[in-house]
Amino acid sequence: MNSTVVEISLPALRHNLRQVARRVGTVPIIAVVKANAYGHGAVPVTRTLLTAGAHQLGVATVAEGQELRHAGITAPILVMGGIFPDDVPLLQELSLIPVLPSRDAIFMAARLMHSRSAPLPVHLKVDTGMSRLGLTREEFLDILRSDWPPTLRLEGLMSHLASADAGDGESAENQLVRFRELLDAAKSAGLAVPAAHIANSAAILRFPASYFDRVRPGLMLYGYVNRPAAAAELRPALSWKTRIVQVKRVGVGQPVSYGGTFVTSRPSTLAILPVGYADGYSRALSNKGHVLVRGRAVPIVGRVCMDLTVVDVSDLPDVRPGDEAVLLGRQGAAAITADDLAACQDTISYEVLCQISPRLTRVYLED
Ligand SMILES: *Cc1c(COP(=O)(O)O)cnc(C)c1O
C-alpha cells in the first residue's frame, strides 16, 4: 500500500466545469489540462471533463498533447506554449493544434508543412499587454498585409490576460480593448478568424465581455480561484494524505530534523510522516505549515526533508503509527487548502498543486 496518496474527486471536477458552463452559456470550453492537469493527473481528468461537456483541451507542450493522444483522447488539443521546428511532424501526426506566437513561428510552420498534405490548423497568439508569448500588434498587422500561407489554416486568435484577478480590472479591460482592435483589423483585412479567445478562470468569473468564441479555464476547474468571493461556488478536487510512520516521545531541549532548527521547549510527542519535498511538499513549509491529525491542525517542527516530515502531536491524546495525516484537504471539520499552503510558501495555489510529485499515486473517487 502507498502511504501517501493524492485523491481526486471526480464529482468536484464535474461540478466546477458546470460552474464554468453556467457562466459562459453556449461558449465552448477549452479545458486547460497542462502540467499534468495542475497536478491532478492529465488523462483521468481530461476524460472526466470531456464526458462532463468540455469541448477542447489546452496543454503547454507537444509532449503533453502526445500523452493525451496515446491515451486515446480524440478531442481537439491546443498546444499553447510555443513550438520548435522539430515539433511540426509530430503536430501533424497527432493532430495537435499549435498556437503560433511570432512571425518566425508562422513562417517556420508554413515552410515545414508539405504542400500536398492538408493545411495545418493553427491559432495565433497576440500580445495585448502581458509582454510574454505572442505577436506584437505591429507584427500582427504586418501578417495581415502579407499573404496567408496556404499550408496553414487559421482557426483561432488568442491572447492572455496578465492581471484578470488583480486590482480594479483596468489592465484586463485595456487588454480586451486591444484584442478587439486586432480582431477588427483582421476582419477588415479579410482574414477570417473562426475562434477568438482570451478568458482564463479569473476573467470567466469577472469579465463576461471576455468570453468571445471560447473560454480557457484552468484553475477554477480544480476548485480554486484568486477571488475569495467566487470560491464558495467551487469545490477543491484534490486531497493529499499520508499516514504516520512513527510516533516518538522526546524530552525538553531536543533539536528536531536537519540543522536542529526547532528545539523542543517541553517534553514532546512527535509524529514522523513519510512525505517530503521530493513529493512536492515544499521545504518552505519547515517550521511554518500544519497538517491535520485527528481533525486538528498540528504544526510542522524542524525542516521538511526529502522524504520525511516531523509534526508535533503533543497536544493530541493517543496518536498512533498508521493514523491518517492530511496535508491538503479536509479531516472532520478542519481543512487545509492549496491557498493555505501557498501562503506559507510565499506562492500561489497554482504552484502548490502542480508541484505535487508525479511519484505519488493519484486515486480517482466518486463521492
Ligand atoms: C494556463 C493557461 C490558462 C488557464 O489559466 P487559469 O488562470 O488557470 O484559468 C489559460 N490560457 C493560457 C494560455 C494558459 O497558459
Side-chain angles (χ1 to χ4, degrees), residues 23-44:
R23 286 170 183 270
V24 306
T26 56
V27 175
I29 297 170
I30 302 174
V32 177
V33 294
K34 65 192 179 193
N36 199 27
Y38 290 45
H40 293 59
V43 170

Side-chain angles (χ1 to χ4, degrees), residues 42 49 84 148 153 164 212 240 250 270 309:
L49 293 173
F84 293 93
W148 181 258
R153 189 175 80 235
F212 293 92
W240 188 2
V250 298
L270 305 179
T309 297

Side-chain angles (χ1 to χ4, degrees), residues 212-231:
F212 293 92
D213 307 311
R214 305 270 187 281
V215 292
R216 304 192 307 264
L219 190 67
M220 79 182 275
L221 296 175
Y222 308 102
Y224 286 94
V225 282
N226 284 342
R227 300 188 67 75

Side-chain angles (χ1 to χ4, degrees), residues 32 34 38 60 80 125 132 158-160 198-202 204 216-220 222 350:
V32 177
K34 65 192 179 193
Y38 290 45
M80 304 189 297
K125 184 168 193 182
R132 206 181 58 175
M158 67 182 273
S159 190
H160 195 55
I198 190 167
N200 58 3
S201 296
I204 290 167
R216 304 192 307 264
L219 190 67
M220 79 182 275
Y222 308 102
Y350 294 83

